[in-house]
Amino acid sequence: MTLTVVNNCPFTVWPAVQPNSGHDVLERGGFALPTVTHRSFPAPTHHWSGRIWARTGCTYANGRFSCATGDCGGRLECGGLGGAAPATLAQITLHHGGQQDLTSYGVSLVDGFNVGMTVTPHEGKGRCPVVGCRENLLATCPDVLQLRAPAGGGQVVGCKSGCQAFGTDELCCRNMYNSPQTCRASSYSEFFKHACPATFTYAHDSPSLTHECAAPRELKVIFCH
């Protein structure tokens, strides 16, 4: 099985790959990917789960690497570190379900949005939908959720979640709100859901992304579909 990351954005992105705890770091955790190029690498042959996202607006200055969105502690190769919100996340689980060899995947806007993203399986058996968010939500992001770059005229580079913008327990589904009964959609998560129904938009969201995709030959994560 092959994992392929495709950059259809009109600019370079720096994909990052973070394994869940105890799983292998793939491709050293991050790399540069110029516009209209892709990078393919072998998927783990055993059970693996983790996330992939795009870092944008990355620069080297004074010997330091940093990104406007998705930054992982100022490193080019994230090496297992997570990324700064807001960032669109692909969440992937490979080789589960025993002999069925299932692949599960979803696109999450729970931590906000920085680029459009879809996940597309190829040559799998069973239910293998394309999921994600093709819209450019930077253009429609409500003022209170906008993350603007300090340089370059303050353009919108990310769209924050309600949790990141306001930090309340209710919006972050923390403490007494940390259950499916008390963690609810908000007007902020509904902005993301309305634009991109096939995504997760708050912590206990459960979009109808049922897939039982068995043994796909390739899983493609496409930025700016």
Side-chain angles (χ1 to χ4, degrees):
M1 180 180 175
T2 300
L3 291 173
T4 299
V5 182
V6 182
N7 180 16
N8 281 342
C9 303
F11 45 82
T12 299
V13 299
W14 286 259
V17 186
Q18 182 191 23
N20 290 345
S21 180
H23 293 227
D24 305 346
V25 175
L26 309 182
E27 299 298 287
R28 302 187 180 205
F31 48 89
L33 194 63
T35 179
V36 201
T37 62
H38 71 275
R39 178 157 167 169
S40 294
F41 47 94
T45 53
H46 49 270
H47 177 65
W48 185 90
S49 63
R51 48 183 40 188
I52 297 175
W53 68 96
R55 293 170 289 169
T56 62
C58 301
T59 52
Y60 283 107
N62 307 321
R64 189 169 181 276
F65 179 78
S66 65
C67 301
T69 67
D71 191 82
C72 64
R75 299 186 184 190
L76 171 60
E77 297 175 340
C78 298
L81 292 179
T88 315
L89 295 175
Q91 298 174 319
I92 295 168
T93 302
L94 308 176
H95 306 305
H96 69 102
Q99 292 182 334
Q100 293 176 284
D101 191 16
L102 299 180
T103 293
S104 298
Y105 50 91
V107 172
S108 171
L109 304 179
V110 174
D111 289 336
F113 173 97
N114 64 344
V115 297
M117 173 197 282
T118 57
V119 181
T120 303
H122 289 282
E123 296 182 47
K125 300 174 185 65
R127 302 180 66 142
C128 303
V130 176
V131 300
C133 183
R134 296 168 191 251
E135 304 294 320
N136 176 18
L137 301 185
L138 301 184
T140 53
C141 184
D143 288 353
V144 291
L145 301 182
Q146 290 175 359
L147 174 69
R148 291 179 173 270
Q155 71 192 67
V156 178
V157 294
C159 192
K160 296 185 255 191
S161 65
C163 170
Q164 192 189 0
F166 301 103
T168 65
D169 282 359
E170 187 170 8
L171 288 172
C172 296
C173 292
R174 283 192 304 247
N175 298 324
M176 66 176 286
Y177 294 99
N178 186 16
S179 76
Q181 290 73 40
T182 56
C183 173
R184 296 271 180 232
S186 66
S187 59
Y188 306 111
S189 71
E190 286 296 326
F191 159 73
F192 293 110
K193 180 66 79 177
H194 180 72
C196 296
T199 60
F200 293 85
T201 58
Y202 62 97
H204 287 278
D205 192 7
S206 49
S208 54
L209 301 180
T210 53
H211 31 252
E212 289 144 2
C213 190
R217 292 286 302 277
E218 182 181 37
L219 198 64
K220 269 186 184 163
V221 176
I222 303 174
F223 301 121
C224 302
H225 195 96

